[in-house]
Amino acid sequence: EAEQNIRVQTYDYESEAQCDRHVETFLHCIRDVASFGPDGFAACKVTALGNPKLLARLSTAIEESRRLFEIFDLNGDGVISREEFEYGYNKFFVDGDVRIKEIFEEFDPEHTGYIDYITWSMMLSPRDLPKIVKSCHAAGRLSEACPTDEEVDLLEAMYNRGRQLGEAAAQAGVRLLIDAEQCRYQPAIDNLVLELQRQFNVDDKPIIYNTYQCYLKDSPERLRTDVKRSERFNYHFGAKLVRGAYMESERELAETNGLPDPIHASIEDTHACYNDSVDFLLRHSVESDQKAELMCATHNQESIEKAIDAMNKYGVDRKSSTISFAQLFGMTDHLTFNLGRHGYRAYKYVPYGEVHEVMPYLLRRARENSAIVGGATLELKMIQNELRNRLRRSRN
């Protein structure tokens, strides 16, 4: 039976060499962005910095850490009291008599008598789990999710790649957008982004931006939790808001695993989530002592108009770095050019890399974002109308 409990997870180390090569591509991108002038953006995918299998494993470990918090929170009020912590720790771990006081004080440095999830998640990283599970009474879901020694080493290599990019971006004055990916990877991505934000978003502006996919039902809660983290740990907050690009695969995976659909039931709900998130961040930007910046990445004209209305409502100057707008290169040019013409910070998002590397990204956008297809149709009509107008003027 002991043999059945042995977990073996092997990784292809050629993929590690590939990740190192990806870092060089990202570094070239950062330098190229910086060469165009100040206030540029570069983008990065974390699945290019670490093996996706590792990210999925780490995401499971993070989710089990969250589940442990919920188990300790006996009355479900969102915080763990000293009494709840003692009860939960003694239930699952063998060394409570010598460790409880030390651990609780580490998690509650202000001596409030409580631990909330923000502190819990910042203090309990996946790299801490191996030493924690050694004290478990018995193997369980947390032990199964615990990274192996091999995975901890690979995790540290991935974090070092992220730090290398963060350092290069900070030195170049380039803001680095960390892309959102599938839900099975996202907790691990968020964990890396939080560490990079604490390190690099501390000077005059946020360098590291996380991405929030507003078609996900949990995105408002995640966004607000991350904003609270930035306030508590005293760093600037940066966010890119998108609607999302993995709808079909997310729904298929949820159905296969017998999980609830993570996607909003209607496009109207997704639109509302996006617009509410923009409004929330703009309001926060004028209320916070820390800087908060937003990249409004959308081809939806109504969302852009609502964002401008919110800017006016909260007194956000259109030239301020608080909010920028971006559309994919070659798409909805009428939105980008009109934003730029009226003095708003407007950007084009340009895929960077070899053709065979960027084509899957472009195909995914075309397949899963029907709004882009509709926008392209609208753009074609606008071009045709303009051509007719110019022909008429030339005849006159």
Side-chain angles (χ1 to χ4, degrees):
E1 180 170 352
E3 292 180 356
Q4 295 177 351
N5 292 328
I6 296 175
R7 290 187 296 112
V8 178
Q9 179 71 61
T10 58
Y11 292 87
D12 174 14
Y13 279 85
E14 170 58 28
S15 67
E16 287 295 290
Q18 184 65 47
C19 288
D20 290 334
R21 291 192 288 272
H22 290 159
V23 169
E24 291 304 313
T25 300
F26 289 131
L27 290 173
H28 280 296
C29 179
I30 290 169
R31 289 193 289 267
D32 286 345
V33 169
S35 70
F36 281 96
D39 289 332
F41 290 85
C44 169
K45 290 180 72 69
V46 175
T47 49
L49 302 181
N51 192 307
K53 290 192 299 182
L54 174 67
L55 290 170
R57 281 273 300 145
L58 293 175
S59 292
T60 301
I62 292 167
E63 289 303 301
E64 287 304 317
S65 297
R66 174 190 281 272
R67 178 174 170 271
L68 185 65
F69 176 89
E70 294 171 350
I71 292 172
F72 275 37
D73 179 17
L74 295 175
N75 63 5
D77 63 353
V79 294
I80 300 172
S81 67
R82 176 65 180 263
E83 293 74 20
E84 288 175 321
F85 187 83
E86 289 183 4
Y87 177 84
Y89 197 93
N90 286 324
K91 181 178 180 180
F92 292 101
F93 300 95
V94 299
D95 57 351
D97 54 335
V98 296
R99 291 277 287 155
I100 283 178
K101 183 176 184 296
E102 172 192 349
I103 296 174
F104 192 87
E105 289 180 354
E106 181 181 356
F107 278 56
D108 181 31
E110 302 297 324
H111 306 291
T112 64
Y114 295 93
I115 303 170
D116 66 7
Y117 183 69
I118 291 175
T119 301
W120 176 280
S121 62
M122 295 296 272
M123 301 294 289
L124 187 62
S125 78
R127 290 170 291 184
D128 299 321
L129 288 181
K131 62 183 179 183
I132 292 172
V133 300
K134 289 179 181 178
S135 301
C136 287
H137 280 299
R141 289 172 57 172
L142 186 65
S143 299
E144 287 298 312
C146 178
T148 64
D149 291 342
E150 177 191 23
E151 288 169 332
V152 170
D153 290 342
L154 292 172
L155 172 64
E156 192 57 37
M158 182 183 73
Y159 275 58
N160 284 336
R161 295 182 187 110
R163 294 185 194 106
Q164 187 178 357
L165 297 180
E167 184 67 38
Q171 290 181 357
V174 172
R175 293 167 173 83
L176 188 61
L177 307 169
I178 309 297
D179 281 348
E181 304 193 46
Q182 290 96 329
C183 289
R184 63 182 180 273
Y185 306 135
Q186 198 59 48
I189 294 170
D190 290 343
N191 192 265
L192 171 61
V193 173
L194 289 172
E195 179 162 316
L196 296 179
Q197 287 180 329
R198 290 186 70 179
Q199 182 174 354
F200 297 109
N201 290 9
V202 293
D203 291 328
D204 61 331
K205 64 184 179 184
I207 292 294
I208 307 297
Y209 282 48
N210 205 359
T211 300
Y212 300 85
Q213 301 187 99
C214 293
Y215 70 176
L216 294 174
K217 297 173 184 176
D218 69 351
S219 63
E221 178 185 359
R222 288 179 47 239
L223 179 63
R224 283 159 175 76
T225 298
D226 288 348
V227 166
K228 290 178 182 176
R229 282 195 183 100
S230 69
E231 290 286 295
R232 183 172 305 177
F233 291 91
N234 202 34
Y235 58 86
H236 304 306
F237 184 76
K240 181 177 79 168
L241 293 185
V242 299
R243 276 171 169 76
Y246 304 96
M247 183 170 66
E248 294 176 0
S249 60
E250 293 289 19
R251 282 182 163 153
E252 289 173 2
L253 184 63
E255 183 177 0
T256 299
N257 293 331
L259 298 173
D261 186 350
I263 309 294
H264 283 300
S266 69
I267 187 62
E268 290 76 19
D269 289 342
T270 296
H271 291 334
C273 179
Y274 191 97
N275 297 332
D276 290 347
S277 297
V278 172
D279 189 276
F280 164 74
L281 287 174
L282 289 175
R283 183 176 70 251
H284 171 71
S285 72
V286 300
E287 295 174 349
S288 174
D289 292 332
Q290 298 292 327
K291 279 191 176 180
E293 293 184 356
L294 161 65
M295 168 60 78
C296 190
T298 181
H299 300 91
N300 186 288
Q301 182 170 333
E302 182 180 1
S303 288
I304 292 173
E305 292 170 352
K306 286 182 178 293
I308 292 172
D309 288 343
M311 293 171 66
N312 294 332
K313 178 170 64 174
Y314 298 119
V316 176
D317 187 88
R318 65 185 63 188
K319 297 185 182 299
S320 166
S321 63
T322 298
I323 182 170
S324 303
F325 299 88
Q327 290 77 44
L328 291 172
F329 181 70
M331 296 183 180
T332 57
D333 288 342
H334 62 288
L335 296 178
T336 317
F337 296 159
N338 274 300
L339 285 165
R341 186 174 65 182
H342 289 89
Y344 295 93
R345 293 164 55 90
Y347 291 81
K348 278 300 188 186
Y349 196 97
V350 183
Y352 185 96
E354 298 182 11
V355 172
H356 72 276
E357 293 176 328
V358 301
M359 281 305 297
Y361 168 87
L362 294 174
L363 291 172
R364 187 170 66 248
R365 288 297 181 274
R367 183 177 63 251
E368 297 208 18
N369 194 335
S370 59
I372 291 180
V373 178
T377 303
L378 173 62
E379 235 178 321
L380 180 59
K381 291 180 178 177
M382 294 173 66
I383 292 171
Q384 290 171 338
N385 289 336
E386 179 61 22
L387 286 173
R388 292 191 190 100
N389 291 334
R390 294 188 183 190
L391 284 171
R392 290 192 194 102
R393 287 196 297 268
S394 67
R395 289 168 183 166
N396 293 334

